[in-house]
Amino acid sequence: MAEYKLKVTTGAMKHAGTMDHIYVILLGTEGQSPRTELNNLGIDFITRAYKVKTSSSLGKLLLVKVEKDPFLLFPEDEWYCSKIEVTTPEDEEIVFPCYRWISRGEFVELRGGKGLTFLKYNITNADTLSVSENLNFAVWFPTFIIPEYVSEHWKEDDFFGFQFLNGTNPNVIKCCSKLPPNFPVTDEMVRPFLETGTTLEKEMEEGNIFLCDQKIMDGIPTRQKDGNHLYVAAGLCLFYKNPEGKLLPIAIQLYQQPSEQNPIFLPSDLETDWLLAKLFFRSSDLIQHQTLYHLMHTHYLAEVFTVATFRCLPTIHPLYKLLIPHFRYTLHVNILVRKLLLSPGGSSLGVEGLTELMRRDLSQMTYSSLCLPENITERGLELIPNFYYRDDALKLFAKAMVEYYYSSDSDVIKDIELFQFKCCCCRIMDSDSATGFPSCFNTIEEVAKFITMVIFRVSAQHAAVNNGQYDYNSWVPNGSLLLCKPPPATKGQSSMQTVLETLPDVEDSVKIMSAARILSEKYTDVVLLGEFPEEHFDEPRPKEIIKALQVDLYYLREEIAARNSQLEIPYTYLNPDVVENSVTI
């Protein structure tokens, strides 16, 4: 006779235990154990010890099969299994991570904690995805300080420019070395706003001129509200970085094609004309932010990566173990997001407009635009000062875990499941090699780059575009998702009454503010970047890598806190204290 000792651990959350019958079967290279019931004698397992006896050793232990049957006529009673630890007759200790809910009638196969690629194991049954875990919507309400600052400074040009670097959408501004032909700004127009003795051409040569171009918004259909049209701009805005390092808007055109009815607005224009120009430009930027850089580039991409992981990577694969903590609640929250962010009344764009905007964005999405270092370089933002998003984000990149599991490039090429994972991602996104997405992985470096991009997208990037929404968008005049009057077509005709009539009414303003508040909240069961409450890795080296990551994040916290203490407007959204491990809100 051979005896296997089991330690079974139930999750610590409420209602994780069960009264149902739990059975296990151990599978090894030399056979399998009898179907054995784990007699829990109560509603919670906590951590309990059991024994499974076999006629002889099962050889190398490969799988633990778990089955759940009903207890008498009781209703469905799901069980959250954290892990099963097995000590073999040969005194080998093996951890079989689970970390999921198990329903009646399910057969769940658990593989050992050591990460193995396809070539290093010989059982390839795919696990199923359970989405029965419930979101915990108990929230705490932080004290907001920045909204008060925004309400006092929203009219100021330097604050307008600051937001394109460190607000909720630091994704669109780029260095401008040559003006677009459809934006005929002249040196005479902007010379009063430049340093004395310089010219627009000279400042472009020195890298001090920046541009935001909203051409993706051109021709996007808008909706009606109460029988009246709503409006969006598709503008261009030119910025100047002055000698003090401040980024100032110096010219705004609200539509793509220049004409007498589409003037270029300047800071020297009538105050309300310039205010309206900034208001319309910020509104379109906010729509782009919410629909593209928040919803598409984090939520929906996270869903792509989640689905591809469950479809193609078995639970024993090291990349499954590495990625799965970063997909917590993603599918759950995206169901809610579709209702909230794609509702017909959410912005000046209806469902048709939002769908067209996302279609355009997907058609021009490139791999390099999703990889932060390349993105920053392509936009020419490596040296612009006071770009705290860039400074913090670049420090959150890591690749040590990938390099541990792939010892050579040949290991990468031979990994069939890795290839299928990559193909699945591209197939769901409908991308091809023309957009720069790799057709296959040939080197460790390529895998590390892709996995780093995935983790960054679903953790740090989501934090950067999500966490500051109440800070910057709750004061509706600073950026409204819907505007009720058309952009000004001539100069000198506006007043503050025009501004008020352009902004949404109280009811819609409250809806915008409430949505921003909800999206900025933090929940009681938050799991931060670097925290791994579920132990998917069993080997010492991955655990050492995780500890090293946690040490790095600790020092980054200190560094960011020290810098923010010297700033008038602190940039906190990439502090590891607030960056979640996954897209959960």
Side-chain angles (χ1 to χ4, degrees):
M1 294 288 290
E3 184 176 85
Y4 290 81
K5 299 176 181 178
L6 278 62
K7 285 201 300 183
V8 181
T9 302
T10 292
M13 66 282 290
K14 289 183 178 180
H15 311 301
T18 182
M19 291 289 291
D20 283 352
H21 299 287
I22 305 297
Y23 300 91
V24 298
I25 300 175
L26 309 182
L27 283 80
T29 54
E30 302 298 327
Q32 68 180 50
S33 73
R35 182 172 181 262
T36 305
E37 181 177 5
L38 306 182
N39 185 3
N40 58 320
L41 294 176
I43 197 166
D44 288 316
F45 275 80
I46 313 298
T47 297
R48 298 195 178 183
Y50 304 90
K51 294 179 180 179
V52 174
K53 296 183 178 181
T54 61
S55 58
S56 61
S57 173
L58 302 177
K60 183 175 178 57
L61 197 57
L62 301 173
L63 293 175
V64 174
K65 284 189 176 183
V66 183
E67 181 185 0
K68 183 170 174 288
D69 282 349
F71 176 73
L72 299 178
L73 298 177
F74 281 29
E76 173 64 78
D77 183 22
E78 289 184 320
W79 173 46
Y80 190 91
C81 176
S82 292
K83 61 183 176 180
I84 297 178
E85 300 166 80
V86 180
T87 302
T88 70
E90 296 80 21
D91 287 330
E92 181 184 8
E93 295 182 357
I94 307 173
V95 179
F96 292 83
C98 183
Y99 299 108
R100 53 161 291 179
W101 294 94
I102 300 177
S103 301
R104 287 178 180 173
E106 277 196 89
F107 287 89
V108 178
E109 295 180 351
L110 307 180
R111 295 184 171 91
K114 184 177 182 180
L116 296 175
T117 59
F118 177 80
L119 296 177
K120 298 174 183 176
Y121 68 92
N122 56 14
I123 295 181
T124 59
N125 295 328
D127 285 333
T128 57
L129 167 62
S130 170
V131 294
S132 57
E133 195 170 342
N134 294 318
L135 284 170
N136 182 352
F137 276 98
V139 301
W140 61 276
F141 296 92
T143 300
F144 294 94
I145 299 174
I146 292 180
E148 299 174 7
Y149 184 97
V150 173
S151 68
E152 296 170 359
H153 297 271
W154 66 283
K155 295 181 182 180
E156 298 170 8
D157 285 353
D158 59 341
F159 182 64
F160 180 85
F162 173 87
Q163 292 179 77
F164 285 87
L165 292 177
N166 300 302
T168 55
N169 192 16
N171 309 283
V172 292
I173 194 167
K174 62 181 180 179
C175 191
C176 178
S177 58
K178 184 180 179 180
L179 288 175
N182 60 329
F183 194 21
V185 178
T186 65
D187 184 69
E188 183 180 1
M189 288 180 182
V190 299
R191 187 176 296 171
F193 320 117
L194 306 178
E195 188 74 4
T196 303
T198 190
T199 66
L200 178 60
E201 185 69 27
K202 182 179 178 181
E203 293 299 326
M204 284 195 290
E205 291 176 358
E206 294 184 358
N208 293 327
I209 301 298
F210 297 84
L211 175 71
C212 283
D213 189 345
Q214 297 174 342
K215 59 185 175 183
I216 195 172
M217 300 286 292
D218 192 28
I220 292 289
T222 59
R223 67 180 179 92
Q224 291 187 348
K225 180 180 183 294
D226 300 330
N228 299 313
H229 285 284
L230 298 175
Y231 299 89
V232 296
L236 302 102
C237 183
L238 205 64
F239 296 85
Y240 169 54
K241 178 179 72 67
N242 69 13
E244 290 76 38
K246 292 183 177 181
L247 192 67
L248 303 172
I250 57 174
I252 297 176
Q253 179 179 293
L254 293 177
Y255 290 111
Q256 287 291 301
Q257 296 306 317
S259 69
E260 290 185 2
Q261 290 73 42
N262 184 27
I264 295 175
F265 293 94
L266 305 170
S268 55
D269 289 338
L270 183 68
E271 180 183 2
T272 49
D273 282 356
W274 182 237
L275 194 61
L276 280 168
K278 292 191 292 182
L279 178 63
F280 272 93
F281 197 85
R282 271 282 294 157
S283 175
S284 291
D285 181 70
L286 185 55
I287 292 172
Q288 282 183 259
H289 156 260
Q290 196 66 275
T291 310
L292 304 182
Y293 297 102
H294 182 204
L295 183 60
M296 281 278 288
H297 292 201
T298 62
H299 279 265
Y300 283 177
L301 282 182
E303 186 169 326
V304 168
F305 304 140
T306 302
V307 171
T309 297
F310 280 111
R311 282 182 180 176
C312 303
L313 298 178
T315 57
I316 200 171
H317 197 286
L319 292 184
Y320 176 96
K321 294 173 179 293
L322 179 60
L323 291 174
I324 197 62
H326 298 286
F327 302 146
R328 177 178 180 262
Y329 291 166
T330 295
L331 298 178
H332 311 66
V333 76
N334 275 7
I335 294 172
L336 303 176
V337 162
R338 283 175 171 85
K339 295 179 181 179
L340 177 64
L341 297 185
L342 292 181
S343 61
S347 72
S348 292
L349 305 185
V351 174
E352 180 186 359
L354 292 171
T355 303
E356 172 62 17
L357 182 59
M358 289 189 287
R359 186 199 63 77
R360 292 183 185 184
D361 180 72
L362 183 60
S363 69
Q364 64 188 41
M365 183 182 291
T366 63
Y367 185 41
S368 60
S369 71
L370 301 178
C371 298
L372 182 68
E374 288 91 334
N375 179 296
I376 296 296
T377 301
E378 288 177 356
R379 293 196 283 146
L381 302 179
E382 305 98 311
L383 301 177
I384 187 170
N386 308 320
F387 192 12
Y388 309 120
Y389 160 79
R390 171 205 60 203
D391 298 342
D392 296 349
L394 288 173
K395 295 170 184 173
L396 290 171
F397 269 56
K399 60 182 181 180
M401 198 75 81
V402 173
E403 294 176 341
Y404 170 73
Y405 279 104
Y406 293 96
S407 57
S408 68
D409 292 341
S410 63
D411 288 345
V412 171
I413 296 171
K414 295 174 183 178
D415 190 341
I416 298 172
E417 289 151 345
L418 174 63
F419 175 76
Q420 292 172 336
F421 168 75
K422 194 285 310 173
C423 290
C424 186
C425 289
C426 292
R427 186 165 59 251
I428 298 172
M429 295 170 60
D430 194 25
S431 63
D432 53 42
S433 58
T435 60
F437 285 87
S439 58
C440 61
F441 294 125
N442 294 309
T443 67
I444 297 173
E445 184 67 27
E446 290 172 354
V447 178
K449 178 180 177 180
F450 190 86
I451 298 301
T452 299
M453 178 274 292
V454 170
I455 295 175
F456 178 79
R457 284 278 127 196
V458 305
S459 58
Q461 183 62 18
H462 180 259
V465 299
N466 179 77
N467 292 358
Q469 292 190 82
Y470 188 79
D471 285 350
Y472 288 97
N473 303 335
S474 59
W475 179 249
V476 174
N478 187 56
S480 173
L481 284 167
L482 59 88
L483 297 175
C484 304
K485 295 288 183 181
T490 57
K491 295 187 178 184
Q493 304 297 313
S494 68
S495 65
M496 188 54 69
Q497 184 63 31
T498 312
V499 175
L500 294 175
E501 291 174 355
T502 301
L503 290 168
D505 59 25
V506 173
E507 181 181 356
D508 286 324
S509 296
V510 169
K511 290 178 181 178
I512 292 171
M513 183 175 65
S514 298
R517 178 76 180 234
I518 292 170
L519 292 169
S520 299
E521 296 297 353
K522 298 175 180 63
Y523 295 81
T524 54
D525 63 344
V526 63
V527 176
L528 299 176
L529 185 65
E531 295 179 354
F532 299 92
E534 299 176 351
E535 297 182 16
H536 289 278
F537 290 103
D538 191 36
E539 308 97 304
R541 180 54 184 155
K543 292 182 178 181
E544 292 172 2
I545 294 172
I546 290 172
K547 287 182 179 179
L549 169 64
Q550 293 168 341
V551 170
D552 291 342
L553 293 174
Y554 171 81
Y555 285 116
L556 182 56
R557 287 185 185 95
E558 299 295 311
E559 182 180 331
I560 291 174
R563 179 202 64 204
N564 285 342
S565 67
Q566 306 299 315
L567 299 180
E568 182 179 11
I569 310 174
Y571 186 77
T572 62
Y573 309 123
L574 291 179
N575 187 317
D577 281 337
V578 297
V579 176
E580 288 196 60
N581 227 359
S582 60
V583 175
T584 65
I585 183 63

